[in-house]
Amino acid sequence: MYEQISHSLLNSILDELRPEIKRQNLRHFYTRLGANFYAIHSLFSTLYGDRDDFQAQMVRLVETMAEGYIYRSEESERLDMSREQDHNWFLSQKWVGMALYTNGFAENLADLANKIGYFQELGVNMVHIMPILKCPIGKSDGGYAISNFREIDGRVGDLNDFQKISEQFRKNDILLVLDIVLNHTSDEHEWALKAKAGDPHYQNYYLTFEDRSVPDVFEQGMPEVFPETDPGNFTWNEEMGRWVMTVFHDYQWDLDYRNPDVFIEILAIVLFWANQGVDVLRLDAVAFLWKKMGSTCQNERKAHLILQLLKDCCQVTAPGVLFIAEAIVAPGELAKYFGEDAIVAKECEIAYNATLMALLWDGIATKNTKLLREGIKSLPSKLDRATWLTYVRCHDDIGFGFDDRDISAVGYEPHSHRMFLIDYFSGKYDDTSRGLVFMRNEFTGDARICGSLASLAGLESALESGDQARIDRAISKILLLNSVIMSFGGIPLLYNGDALGLLNDYSYSGDPSKANDSRWVHRSKIDWEKAALRHQRGSVECRIFTAMKRMISIRKEISAFADFNNRELLHSDNEHLLCYLRFNPLRTSDKVFVVANFDDHPQRLELESYSRYGINPRGNYVDLFSGVRPSQYEGCIALQGGQFYWLSEN
Ligand code: GLC
């Protein structure tokens, strides 16, 4: 939008830029800056407009974007241009992701290149390398307590190794995803060290207080993220003689985005990594970015403004780079991270579908889909140029954060239902699942669950029992869950060894720096000798891997699985079945009827009851996944316990 005030301000800022920047050929930069400047200026002035140094801060902001642009490689610029032209490129069904630890999946960054063959064998073409930046040993929160945002942890490699892997990924058409931890730093970050030493400039990077008066008011509204190990949201720092806000661990200091210096520093870091060849940046813990006294300090409007500003600025310098919002929040808040009141995403193009993930696990525990369907119905619709990350497991715990109203609507009492889920997944209910209870809040009784996909789905206990039927059941469940994330709409994100049926690894309890964080039970190192069993017919690894590989390759062929708001949830009287229709919006005859049986027992799919959705009860159906025509009997299709179909009429 053309707006006179911001236009004249832009001209005055361009006059003030440092001469070495002015001398550069910045043609594309200026075009994009002109297009985005109205939004950038409005957002920056909403956040920081009341400061005396506003104009100087604006100049720094523009210089930071320009510097980022000057260092952008030709190859990245070429990609920027082609992605700008084909701006829906990431909505295609051809993308399948995987998240992994560099030193768990491989030895280090250099060795990760040797795993490209594995990604290709499975069909994975987007790899989220879990945080690899410098962190203090023993106080790292799995890489999320960063002490240097531009240096790689020496144990996994250096910047040179990173550039090599990013080139190799690009050559092999694999997207590279990297974390930006923008809510907090380690207390050993240079900024924190200077703050501790009494430098007021850096104390203003954090939220510090001389006494408990303000923290006590904050505490009234703020929940605790790690109540067992890190109760409270503030930590006393002896050196500084002040309280500092630490929402996560006591060694993770929250940054204060009321300070534009913080925003500009983080923007420079975002652009630095964009220029190292990263395709997608996963923005960690974005719900927490803005702290408002008296609130939960999550999902605040200004947290959204910060993200919009970051997106607008990144689009000027590195428009080909996408953002993933890691916001594990209530369903109603989730879609806001795409950007509210917008048609196309204006914050993050991609967001974790944490609601679907938790609902899927509910389906596994209850063996019915009542809540799953209700929850999907209440999922806010996404914007046009935005997509979900659909996942079953990740490196974090599972929180059953679905909406209480949905739980009540299907006839459960919310608190006791959640308690049932905790009991179920910690094996207290029937010893199928082998999850570990995480962060029980003694006061509310709330807790979350850790464990690998396979162990939670019952494979660990089944293998122990040696009971073939139980093993089969667990494998079906693993595949059932994956069949939903592959077909639901969004980019499926597999986790680490899930395609190999990796079980819990309890060895973390022997490491004092990990023992009190049971998330490490599902962050195990891959044993590649054992992984070779994926090629041995009949082995558990082979059964899971082969099916996953097939699922991925078939997903990539089904245009109806691309994500264009082209899913219709179908109501069924059979509460064990989850049914939805995926269709190609450009060719609606091109559709796939997805059916998943969450029960352990066989169930019938009565085609007649779906005729109002355009399903032909007398049609001939083929299951695209197995290539088999399911036998039909009087208008019904039979599904075995834990079975799914991707049905197409032909
Ligand atoms: C995110 C990460 C989690 C980490 C937290 C604090 O939620 O996924 O692992 O503990 O942020 O950085």
Side-chain angles (χ1 to χ4, degrees):
M1 184 203 277
Y2 177 73
E3 201 267 345
Q4 284 168 333
I5 300 177
S6 62
H7 188 230
S8 75
L9 181 74
L10 174 57
N11 282 332
S12 70
I13 285 172
L14 297 181
D15 282 343
E16 282 181 47
L17 292 184
R18 293 201 310 271
E20 63 273 24
I21 292 181
K22 278 197 205 155
R23 274 199 296 272
Q24 301 281 337
N25 172 9
L26 302 179
R27 187 184 132 215
H28 294 299
F29 172 78
Y30 286 134
T31 329
R32 293 186 194 123
L33 182 63
N36 276 16
F37 192 74
Y38 174 69
I40 291 175
H41 172 242
S42 312
L43 287 163
F44 203 67
S45 70
T46 305
L47 289 162
Y48 309 115
D50 54 358
R51 294 174 57 105
D52 295 340
D53 62 349
F54 176 71
Q55 165 93 1
Q57 294 286 1
M58 270 303 308
V59 174
R60 276 194 59 218
L61 185 74
V62 173
E63 281 178 350
T64 306
M65 287 185 265
E67 273 159 5
Y69 182 77
I70 291 165
Y71 289 107
R72 198 134 179 84
S73 69
E74 266 178 40
E75 168 68 2
S76 297
E77 253 231 278
R78 195 189 53 74
L79 262 174
D80 285 340
M81 307 272 208
S82 79
R83 287 177 183 169
E84 274 179 325
Q85 267 168 18
D86 178 20
H87 54 263
N88 281 338
W89 64 275
F90 61 99
L91 304 181
S92 158
Q93 74 282 5
K94 83 167 201 192
W95 301 112
V96 176
M98 181 186 280
L100 50 87
Y101 285 93
T102 305
N103 57 355
F105 201 78
E107 290 309 314
N108 48 35
L109 275 174
D111 184 40
L112 198 53
N114 301 322
K115 301 295 178 263
I116 290 178
Y118 176 84
F119 301 137
Q120 288 171 331
E121 185 187 349
L122 184 57
V124 162
N125 50 13
M126 174 175 134
V127 174
H128 171 202
I129 298 184
M130 299 292 295
I132 45 170
L133 303 190
K134 199 168 175 204
C135 280
I137 296 176
K139 290 199 310 178
S140 74
D141 187 24
Y144 288 98
I146 293 173
S147 56
N148 188 328
F149 284 108
R150 288 181 177 82
E151 203 179 308
I152 290 184
D153 181 335
R155 285 166 297 175
V156 298
D158 58 22
L159 212 48
N160 207 10
D161 297 321
F162 186 82
Q163 278 156 357
K164 280 199 196 132
I165 195 76
S166 107
E167 274 163 29
Q168 273 155 332
F169 275 12
R170 187 145 292 162
K171 249 190 236 143
N172 289 287
D173 289 325
I174 296 174
L175 298 177
L176 175 55
V177 186
L178 198 76
D179 285 85
I180 298 287
V181 182
L182 67 174
N183 179 64
H184 44 260
T185 72
S186 152
D187 64 349
E188 292 184 25
H189 189 283
E190 188 194 354
W191 304 334
L193 295 179
K194 288 184 174 162
K196 285 185 205 173
D199 183 337
H201 177 77
Y202 287 100
Q203 284 185 353
N204 284 336
Y205 275 38
Y206 301 97
L207 293 107
T208 71
F209 305 93
E210 58 186 1
D211 59 37
R212 284 289 312 183
S213 51
V214 174
D216 282 346
V217 181
F218 263 115
E219 287 288 12
Q220 283 172 3
M222 294 174 79
E224 295 173 330
V225 179
F226 297 130
E228 273 181 8
T229 51
D230 296 78
N233 289 284
F234 293 85
T235 302
W236 174 253
N237 183 261
E238 196 56 54
E239 240 176 297
M240 195 168 52
R242 292 176 78 82
W243 291 93
V244 58
M245 188 182 271
T246 52
V247 169
F248 292 89
H249 292 97
D250 59 10
Y251 52 81
Q252 287 167 305
W253 288 20
D254 286 63
L255 288 165
D256 187 356
Y257 278 89
R258 289 174 311 158
N259 180 353
D261 290 339
V262 168
F263 180 85
I264 293 171
E265 296 261 24
I266 293 293
L267 173 65
I269 291 162
V270 162
L271 300 180
F272 173 83
W273 287 105
N275 282 346
Q276 304 300 319
V278 174
D279 299 286
V280 186
L281 291 168
R282 174 193 183 274
L283 307 185
D284 182 62
V286 287
F288 297 84
L289 290 182
W290 195 270
K291 330 288 181 193
K292 188 167 136 197
M293 225 193 205
S295 77
T296 57
C297 295
Q298 289 182 41
N299 306 312
E300 277 300 316
R301 177 173 168 268
K302 286 195 174 166
H304 288 285
L305 300 188
I306 296 282
L307 291 171
Q308 285 172 27
L309 184 57
L310 212 50
K311 179 83 270 185
D312 279 327
C313 294
C314 187
Q315 268 179 348
V316 173
T317 303
V321 172
L322 303 181
F323 287 172
I324 298 178
E326 192 258 342
I328 311 303
V329 295
E333 296 294 335
L334 213 55
K336 293 185 186 165
Y337 289 89
F338 294 129
E340 260 188 300
D341 309 323
I343 294 169
V344 297
K346 62 175 183 183
E347 282 182 33
C348 299
E349 292 88 350
I350 309 174
Y352 278 79
N353 199 332
T355 307
L356 177 69
M357 180 277 295
L359 289 165
L360 286 172
W361 285 110
D362 187 88
I364 293 294
T366 59
K367 301 180 177 51
N368 75 55
T369 61
K370 286 195 293 186
L371 183 55
L372 176 53
R373 285 192 251 163
E374 194 66 23
I376 293 175
K377 268 198 274 171
S378 323
L379 254 186
S381 52
K382 67 165 193 71
L383 304 178
D384 281 352
R385 231 190 109 245
T387 194
W388 297 111
L389 266 191
T390 53
Y391 67 113
V392 183
R393 287 300 292 118
C394 70
H395 68 290
D396 279 330
D397 45 287
I398 303 173
F400 300 103
F402 16 73
D403 202 312
D404 280 2
R405 279 165 304 193
D406 289 342
I407 307 181
S408 308
V410 297
Y412 305 130
E413 193 283 311
H415 182 74
S416 50
H417 186 63
R418 287 204 179 86
M419 293 302 116
F420 156 73
L421 294 174
I422 301 291
D423 284 350
Y424 181 85
F425 288 112
S426 55
K428 290 205 188 76
Y429 186 76
D430 65 1
D431 190 38
T432 299
S433 192
R434 285 289 167 83
L436 301 182
V437 176
F438 182 62
M439 294 293 154
R440 189 179 291 277
N441 185 324
E442 290 309 331
F443 191 62
T444 60
D446 261 359
R448 284 119 67 185
I449 286 289
C450 295
S452 76
L453 164 57
S455 291
L456 290 174
L459 188 59
E460 187 178 328
S461 58
L463 288 169
E464 256 170 43
S465 73
D467 178 337
Q468 196 54 49
R470 281 181 70 178
I471 297 174
D472 293 348
R473 227 170 14 242
I475 294 178
S476 300
K477 278 180 196 162
I478 293 171
L479 300 180
L480 180 85
L481 290 168
N482 279 299
S483 78
V484 178
I485 63 161
M486 295 277 178
S487 62
F488 188 79
I491 303 175
L493 183 74
L494 313 182
Y495 176 62
N496 210 33
D498 283 355
L500 297 165
L502 206 70
L503 303 178
N504 283 349
D505 175 356
Y506 300 97
S507 63
Y508 77 97
S509 59
D511 177 341
S513 69
K514 296 178 177 163
N516 66 2
D517 188 341
S518 42
R519 291 177 298 174
W520 287 100
V521 79
H522 55 253
R523 295 175 177 176
S524 38
K525 198 166 171 68
I526 307 270
D527 174 350
W528 285 99
E529 266 174 39
K530 192 151 185 276
L533 287 173
R534 70 186 184 280
H535 299 132
Q536 189 177 305
R537 282 193 70 178
S539 70
V540 166
E541 288 79 2
C542 181
R543 289 174 66 189
I544 298 174
F545 186 84
T546 314
M548 293 291 294
K549 181 175 161 173
R550 187 178 174 85
M551 230 185 261
I552 293 172
S553 80
I554 289 169
R555 164 189 156 88
K556 290 183 181 174
E557 297 303 315
I558 301 179
S559 57
F561 284 177
D563 193 16
F564 290 99
N565 277 327
N566 46 340
R567 178 188 55 250
E568 186 176 8
L569 184 69
L570 310 186
H571 175 75
S572 136
D573 290 334
N574 185 332
E575 63 177 34
H576 302 289
L577 303 184
L578 173 70
C579 304
Y580 48 85
L581 205 59
R582 299 299 318 276
F583 51 89
N584 178 342
L586 301 176
R587 209 162 4 119
T588 39
S589 59
D590 212 355
K591 53 186 173 197
V592 180
F593 181 17
V594 176
V595 192
N597 177 14
F598 277 74
D599 196 16
D600 286 343
H601 302 288
Q603 293 292 332
R604 78 201 157 103
L605 172 75
E606 222 177 296
L607 290 170
E608 186 67 48
S609 59
Y610 300 96
S611 52
R612 68 198 139 118
Y613 299 109
I615 299 289
N616 177 1
R618 275 163 291 283
N620 278 320
Y621 290 92
V622 63
D623 171 29
L624 297 176
F625 169 69
S626 60
V628 166
R629 288 184 183 283
S631 43
Q632 288 174 234
Y633 180 77
E634 293 188 347
C636 289
I637 288 181
L639 286 105
Q640 300 309 304
Q643 192 178 8
F644 69 92
Y645 282 134
W646 290 349
L647 297 173
S648 162
E649 193 188 349
N650 74 358

